[in-house]
Amino acid sequence: LKTNNDLGQQDLIGRIGWWAFQGTVLLIDLDKSVAICCDSVETLKERGYPIEQFVSTNFLPRKEFIEFEAEVGNRRLKCLLDTGSTLNLISTSEGDEFAKIDFDHPLPSAMLSVGGSPLGPCVFHETQLPFGIEAIIGIDFLETQIVCIDFIHRKLFLCPVSIMRGIQKLGDA
């Protein structure tokens, strides 16, 4: 790290990698600006989150990333969940590094599904992705979902915000 004495407190941004949450369950609801870190999925259920109604999938075996399988249109892809990426990226070819991204020309929206359950439309930008990753799911898509990451059991739970709000309204009636 380099020291820059011209930086003020407002210039400092903290980032925490996913490994800081090992041994926990993390729920992220960007629509409500909520993040909950707890000891189990059962704790979230007790707090009113119907996790059993979320779409779930296991992490893929690689331990360096939060990686899972999803379907985009009619393609099955290895996806990386990345809250540090604003955009959703899809690989055009495999390489050793990221390639330039054409920000002005995203691909047409495609349905993103997990285990055959549709989660909603997703807009991708094409690029070359390293490490055998076929797609990166970033904030553009995650802000439409309530995301629960169970680091204990290596499971990912997703629920579209629109469906969750409908469930909550039914519970209020």
Side-chain angles (χ1 to χ4, degrees):
L1 293 174
K2 290 180 10 181
T3 302
N4 183 340
N5 295 329
D6 296 331
L7 294 177
Q9 187 65 32
Q10 71 278 5
D11 297 314
L12 301 177
I13 299 172
R15 294 188 178 169
I16 301 174
W18 64 265
W19 55 87
F21 298 99
Q22 288 288 19
T24 69
V25 175
L26 179 65
L27 182 125
I28 303 169
D29 182 347
L30 295 174
D31 184 60
K32 286 190 171 181
S33 299
V34 170
I36 300 170
C37 185
C38 63
D39 63 342
S40 68
V41 169
E42 286 69 33
T43 299
L44 291 172
K45 289 178 186 177
E46 290 169 9
R47 301 285 185 210
Y49 288 94
I51 301 298
E52 66 279 354
Q53 295 184 30
F54 286 34
V55 173
S56 68
T57 189
N58 293 319
F59 293 179
L60 292 177
R62 205 160 44 161
K63 298 202 187 282
E64 299 88 10
F65 307 113
I66 300 173
E67 192 175 25
F68 63 100
E69 279 192 352
E71 300 85 39
V72 176
N74 60 355
R75 291 175 60 191
R76 173 165 280 181
L77 301 173
K78 285 187 228 171
C79 299
L80 170 71
L81 181 74
D82 188 358
T83 60
S85 176
T86 303
L87 301 175
N88 304 303
L89 304 173
I90 196 162
S91 188
T92 53
S93 62
E94 188 176 330
D96 295 333
E97 57 190 45
F98 287 93
K100 188 174 180 177
I101 300 168
D102 183 356
F103 296 103
D104 296 326
H105 299 96
L107 296 173
S109 180
M111 181 58 66
L112 190 138
S113 302
V114 170
S117 297
L119 293 167
C122 190
V123 174
F124 286 93
H125 294 265
E126 285 184 304
T127 187
Q128 174 181 296
L129 296 173
F131 315 118
I133 297 166
E134 297 171 311
I136 293 178
I137 306 302
I139 295 297
D140 271 357
F141 183 73
L142 296 176
E143 66 189 1
T144 70
Q145 305 291 309
I146 297 173
V147 181
C148 177
I149 308 166
D150 183 343
F151 290 102
I152 300 164
H153 298 105
R154 299 187 45 79
K155 286 187 79 81
L156 177 65
F157 300 86
L158 297 160
C159 182
V161 168
S162 58
I163 290 175
M164 182 63 176
R165 299 301 174 248
I167 292 169
Q168 288 174 336
K169 285 181 182 170
L170 288 174
D172 293 341

